[in-house]
Amino acid sequence: MKNFLQEFGTYDASTGMYAFSDVRSGLIVAMLSIGTLIGALIAAPIANAVGRRLSISFWCLVFMVGLVVQIATPNGKWYQIVVGRWVAGLGVGALSIMVPLFQSETAPAHIRGAIVCAYQLFITLGILIAYIINYGTNTINGPAAWRIVMGIGFIWAAILGLGILLFPESPKYAYSRGRKAEAKQTMTKMLGVSENHYKVARELREMKDKLEAESASNHAWYEVFTGPRMAYRTWLGIALQAFQQLTGANFFFYYGTSIFTATGLSDSYITSIILGTINVAFTFPGLYFVERFGRRPCLVIGGIWMSVCFIIFASVGHFALDQVDPTNTPKAGAAMIVFACLFIVAYASTWGPMVWTVTSELFPQRYRATSMSITTASNWIWNFLIAFFTPFITSDIDYLYGYVFAGCCLTASAIVYFFLLESAGRSLEEVDTMYVTHVSPRASAKWQASDDEGLRESVYEHRGNGEKVV
């Protein structure tokens, strides 16, 4: 936006225009990610102390404070924008854990994947709305052009922060705090059955068995790495969240306007809206795919698809596009747009929503909030690194950067194939049992549990010499 550049950029006398240096641009974009990293790490103890609902409301308030700091920034004080984005990032990072955590602990097993994927759906919807608002305010003269964009964020924070108070507490959290009647009532509503239905009885029994097992010995926070099969799951969650960023999706979402200006498009804001629309539209099929085909096949195929798209995008951009005057190579520019769209189709229907689903299903109740904090922090670390260093990297190697993301997409597919268990249609307690009993990832889709199998098997007593026994 012209006014935002004039107020917070630097004047280049040689061109007669305002612009951001790579450092300033990287800081403004990436400090949000620094805040999200910290917010992700500190969200767990608050969530465990006061519950999921109140935590969500609290972090919405923190996000609003960050918006106030940004909107109140006077002319030239670009560092206040940076601070405001950092504060807002605290709220965003914490909410990126709390919302899927609440969803996974509340939703019935047969639709849990789709419910948690809906978290990503509304993220994509927010991105699209932001693109449209940017387009609509871009022609406004004065600071209203960017203050309106920031101010609209209050609406969504208020809806979430107040709306969540109308919902009951997560049944698994309520049960873990001894509020068994409340947990039963919530499960009855969520399953749509009577209190005496066998599904309610089964869920309560599974929670009871796991809670008794987890309470059999004292647990320290570091047992997210030393607990039963927890190191495997925690590092897997860290890797999955990291590779969601390393797919390269935010290469388009953060810098889409700049990228497609370089391809010679006259109005790159329109291109961003097109990408945002594709992102929203193809997240809907992901809600179906995650339950119909399962987590593993979708993530493996999606990673391979994205890799192919990035290889073609990078090759055309480096070898065919005239980077001095892109209008001389319109077919190359058009091909890049097409494969960027095809990439977004794959990301939106697989790795975008499904990573949040699988990481919310990896951990047992006692460790879930802390483990999700650690794994989500991995997402935000890489979010920051990509956002900050992308301007520098593209300045040096231009579109060859895409080959890096292509390799990461293939690696991500391999990690899913060899290490992730299929969790579609299973209770969180069953998923825990599968990991503890060392079910093979490639055979996990066919695994069947008897009524009593393994629900206590995730409990280990830790002896002083480090030996573990069931």
Side-chain angles (χ1 to χ4, degrees):
M1 294 180 178
K2 183 183 296 185
N3 181 264
F4 193 81
L5 281 171
Q6 290 174 345
E7 292 202 16
F8 305 114
T10 54
Y11 182 74
D12 188 341
S14 62
T15 62
M17 299 177 65
Y18 288 87
F20 289 122
S21 65
D22 285 344
V23 172
R24 189 172 299 186
S25 174
L27 282 173
I28 291 175
V29 171
M31 281 306 291
L32 177 75
S33 300
I34 294 291
T36 56
L37 168 62
I38 297 172
L41 290 173
I42 65 178
I46 296 176
N48 288 334
V50 304
R52 303 350 185 183
R53 293 165 60 253
L54 293 180
S55 292
I56 290 173
S57 291
F58 170 74
W59 290 112
C60 285
L61 181 61
V62 172
F63 174 75
M64 291 180 180
V65 171
L67 292 180
V68 171
V69 173
Q70 292 177 78
I71 292 171
T73 303
N75 186 17
K77 307 296 185 182
W78 65 273
Y79 44 83
Q80 184 170 326
I81 291 288
V82 171
V83 172
R85 285 177 63 79
W86 177 80
V87 174
L90 294 175
V92 172
L95 290 169
S96 70
I97 295 168
M98 296 312 308
V99 172
L101 175 62
F102 179 83
Q103 291 172 314
S104 68
E105 291 185 348
T106 305
H110 65 284
I111 60 169
R112 185 179 61 244
I115 293 294
V116 180
C117 282
Y119 165 75
Q120 178 69 13
L121 170 64
F122 281 89
I123 290 177
T124 63
L125 182 60
I127 293 171
L128 175 59
I129 292 173
Y131 286 155
I132 294 172
I133 294 171
N134 282 340
Y135 176 73
T137 60
N138 186 47
T139 56
I140 297 176
N141 293 320
W146 52 272
R147 285 186 170 134
I148 289 174
V149 175
M150 295 177 182
I152 288 175
F154 280 101
I155 298 174
W156 319 121
I159 291 173
L160 176 59
L162 297 175
I164 193 65
L165 298 178
L166 302 177
F167 285 80
E169 182 57 89
S170 150
K172 296 185 186 297
Y173 176 84
Y175 195 96
S176 70
R177 292 299 184 270
R179 293 157 22 205
K180 299 178 182 179
E182 178 186 343
K184 183 177 183 179
Q185 185 179 28
T186 301
M187 289 177 56
T188 299
K189 292 179 180 178
M190 295 302 167
L191 291 170
V193 296
S194 66
E195 289 189 359
N196 297 322
H197 198 278
Y198 77 93
K199 289 184 178 180
V200 175
R202 175 180 170 82
E203 290 278 352
L204 288 173
R205 180 171 60 83
E206 289 182 355
M207 284 193 286
K208 177 177 180 292
D209 287 345
K210 287 293 185 182
L211 182 62
E212 289 178 352
E214 291 169 359
S215 301
S217 60
N218 294 325
H219 296 272
W221 69 268
Y222 54 78
E223 287 196 17
V224 297
F225 290 101
T226 63
R229 212 79 204 290
M230 285 303 298
Y232 180 100
R233 287 184 272 184
T234 300
W235 284 113
L236 176 60
I238 289 171
L240 290 172
Q241 288 284 9
F243 277 101
Q244 190 200 48
Q245 290 296 322
L246 289 168
T247 58
N250 282 338
F251 175 68
F252 296 111
F253 293 135
Y254 282 164
Y255 297 100
T257 300
S258 301
I259 292 168
F260 294 114
T261 297
T263 65
L265 292 174
S266 58
D267 194 337
S268 56
Y269 284 98
I270 294 295
T271 305
S272 294
I273 292 174
I274 293 172
L275 288 179
T277 302
I278 293 171
N279 196 20
V280 172
F282 282 91
T283 302
F284 281 99
L287 306 185
Y288 173 73
F289 294 160
V290 71
E291 300 295 355
R292 175 63 179 84
F293 302 110
R295 283 65 156 153
R296 281 169 48 83
C298 292
L299 290 171
V300 170
I301 294 171
I304 296 171
W305 181 346
M306 291 186 292
S307 180
V308 171
C309 290
F310 247 124
I311 289 172
I312 297 173
F313 179 89
S315 300
V316 173
H318 183 74
F319 297 108
L321 184 72
D322 184 343
Q323 297 186 32
V324 176
D325 186 2
T327 58
N328 292 332
T329 51
K331 292 183 179 180
M336 293 177 70
I337 297 298
V338 168
F339 280 95
C341 292
L342 289 174
F343 172 90
I344 298 301
V345 168
Y347 177 82
S349 57
T350 59
W351 275 83
M354 293 185 194
V355 166
W356 296 106
T357 297
V358 296
T359 54
S360 71
E361 297 170 336
L362 280 174
F363 310 107
Q365 172 67 29
R366 187 176 188 91
Y367 306 120
R368 189 169 295 126
T370 302
S371 297
M372 286 186 67
S373 289
I374 294 171
T375 57
T376 305
S378 168
N379 185 296
W380 291 116
I381 287 172
W382 285 101
N383 185 295
F384 164 74
L385 293 174
I386 292 170
F388 185 79
F389 287 108
T390 287
F392 301 98
I393 296 173
T394 54
S395 295
D396 289 337
I397 63 173
D398 59 76
Y399 294 103
L400 290 178
Y401 192 24
Y403 291 138
V404 176
F405 292 126
C408 289
C409 289
L410 287 177
T411 303
S413 290
I415 289 173
V416 170
Y417 182 78
F418 289 109
F419 299 106
L420 181 69
L421 301 187
E422 182 56 66
S423 52
R426 306 189 189 281
S427 70
L428 297 179
E429 289 74 19
E430 287 177 327
V431 175
D432 180 39
T433 298
M434 290 170 68
Y435 277 101
V436 170
T437 55
H438 294 259
V439 172
S440 169
R442 282 167 285 181
S444 58
K446 298 180 180 179
W447 180 83
Q448 295 291 333
S450 63
D451 289 342
D452 299 309
E453 180 183 358
L455 292 178
R456 293 177 178 269
E457 290 186 3
S458 67
V459 184
Y460 289 70
E461 295 177 358
H462 294 256
R463 295 176 175 173
N465 60 6
E467 180 185 356
K468 299 177 183 178
V469 296
V470 179

